Amino acid sequence: MSKNIIEIDNLSKFYGKQRGIEDVTFSVEEGEIFGFIGPNGAGKSTTIRTLLALIYPTSGSAKIFGKDCIKEAPSIAQDVGYLPSETFFYEGMTVKDLLNYAATLYRKDCSKRIAELSERLKLDTSRKIRDLSFGNKKKVGIVAGLLHSPRLVILDEPTSGLDPLMQQTFFDILREENNKGVTILFSSHILSEVQKMCNRIAILKEGKVISLQNIHELRADAYKKVHLSVESNISDRSLSLDGITKYEKNGGEISFIYKGSVNRLIDAIQPLKATDILIEEPSLEEIFMHYYQ
């Protein structure tokens, strides 16, 4: 039976009267890659920073490894790797010195792991931090977050600044870690990343979790994207069917998102004398927008 590595219960954080997050509740199982998605400002970073005791909650509670995130933060940190959305380092240090310094915080020899990750990410460890591009600083953050072989990796918008090839290398590294049993919490507003990586997701809107489900359920939740080619002289109201959203008609081309019985859909389409029909799974982006309507 799987155990929970992260448990969040009615977690709220307010900055005066300003809402950060409100009554956020979810758990992440051991060995899971869990996606935490929503647009910028939805509360993803606030949740993560509260989990890591970088800020304190207004109410509610959170546990990692069964330990209270605030009371036992130093103990938890030994087994957690964290990549913030924006990385800030000592600008005058070389990459090598910075990573070696980070390794001393975990009281273990991380030299082999540092060398391996730096090579795969094509990171020049002899350069000074101040001379690095944004993308290379992100690579330093990745190595710093993984060098101690943590049990839990928390990633906040991790791919910003990485080129597509380096993103793929990064995802390969994450999958390898996950195959070793490492649990990953992956925050992003780029849904294709989440779709590629995650087992389950929580969708965050205005500081609240509005949906929690596995990735297959989300995509197979009876939503269909339908494209029809019909006689161009039909009226816009020729298709009468409950469950249709995002209806668009352009001449003889009709497209819409549909949720409901496929048999009812076919019955409704039949009188239109369609010359062509394509029914496909909508993208995660299109499903996501449904939640934000």
Side-chain angles (χ1 to χ4, degrees):
M1 185 176 175
S2 299
K3 64 178 179 179
N4 291 330
I5 293 293
I6 297 175
E7 293 176 307
I8 299 175
D9 186 24
N10 292 315
L11 198 63
S12 296
K13 174 64 180 177
F14 286 85
Y15 303 92
K17 292 184 177 179
Q18 293 295 314
R19 181 267 312 148
I21 53 172
E22 188 173 356
D23 293 329
V24 169
T25 300
F26 67 86
S27 59
V28 180
E29 294 180 1
E30 185 174 26
E32 187 171 28
I33 304 181
F34 188 93
F36 197 40
I37 62 176
N40 293 326
K44 303 186 300 296
S45 294
T46 298
T47 304
I48 286 172
R49 288 170 185 155
T50 308
L51 262 181
L52 294 168
L54 299 174
I55 55 177
Y56 283 17
T58 304
S59 60
S61 64
K63 292 180 179 180
I64 294 177
F65 311 131
K67 302 174 182 179
D68 184 280
C69 285
I70 303 301
K71 294 175 184 174
E72 300 184 73
S75 168
I76 291 168
Q78 290 295 313
D79 285 311
V80 175
Y82 170 50
L83 178 64
S85 55
E86 295 180 16
T87 50
F88 299 97
F89 301 115
Y90 297 114
E91 294 285 305
M93 293 181 80
T94 64
V95 173
K96 183 178 182 180
D97 288 344
L98 182 96
L99 293 173
N100 288 337
Y101 170 67
T104 63
L105 302 175
Y106 301 103
R107 302 183 183 91
K108 56 169 42 170
D109 180 7
C110 304
S111 54
K112 185 178 177 183
R113 188 71 173 137
I114 290 171
E116 176 197 339
L117 289 168
S118 297
E119 182 179 350
R120 290 187 66 180
L121 293 167
K122 295 182 169 57
L123 178 63
D124 183 350
T125 59
S126 66
R127 296 180 66 187
K128 288 199 171 180
I129 299 293
R130 71 164 67 95
D131 298 330
L132 299 180
S133 66
F134 176 68
N136 278 319
K137 285 181 180 177
K138 181 69 78 163
K139 292 179 190 178
V140 176
I142 292 169
V143 178
L146 298 177
L147 55 79
H148 57 300
S149 301
R151 290 169 56 198
L152 170 66
V153 177
I154 296 178
L155 307 163
D156 192 0
E157 304 284 354
T159 60
S160 58
L162 297 179
D163 66 58
L165 283 175
M166 201 48 65
Q167 286 182 24
Q168 189 54 54
T169 300
F170 174 55
F171 288 144
D172 290 343
I173 291 169
L174 290 182
R175 286 193 189 92
E176 289 163 17
E177 292 300 297
N178 183 243
N179 288 337
K180 296 176 192 171
V182 174
T183 305
I184 298 170
L185 176 63
F186 189 111
S187 159
S188 181
H189 68 278
I190 303 171
L191 299 176
S192 57
E193 292 183 350
V194 174
Q195 188 174 348
K196 197 182 295 183
M197 290 297 299
C198 299
N199 311 117
R200 285 194 306 140
I201 62 164
I203 297 178
L204 203 64
K205 177 183 180 182
E206 295 172 0
K208 295 185 177 182
V209 173
I210 58 169
S211 180
L212 182 65
Q213 53 190 302
N214 76 47
I215 209 84
H216 302 296
E217 285 174 352
L218 184 72
R219 298 204 62 187
D221 190 21
Y223 287 94
K224 304 295 177 192
K225 188 171 185 178
V226 182
H227 302 269
L228 295 174
S229 296
V230 297
E231 295 177 359
S232 59
N233 59 357
I234 70 164
S235 73
D236 283 347
R237 302 195 179 190
S238 296
L239 187 63
S240 177
L241 183 63
D242 291 336
I244 286 180
T245 55
K246 292 182 70 77
Y247 180 91
E248 294 177 9
K249 181 177 181 291
N250 184 13
E253 300 297 317
I254 296 173
S255 67
F256 53 88
I257 303 283
Y258 172 69
K259 182 179 181 181
S261 161
V262 175
N263 289 327
R264 283 177 50 234
L265 173 64
I266 292 170
D267 288 345
I269 289 171
Q270 202 165 10
L272 302 181
K273 297 179 181 176
T275 56
D276 194 18
I277 180 170
L278 173 64
I279 301 176
E280 59 184 345
E281 206 173 65
S283 70
L284 201 52
E285 280 86 353
E286 288 165 317
I287 296 173
F288 184 65
M289 290 313 297
H290 160 79
Y291 283 103
Y292 271 76
Q293 286 175 354

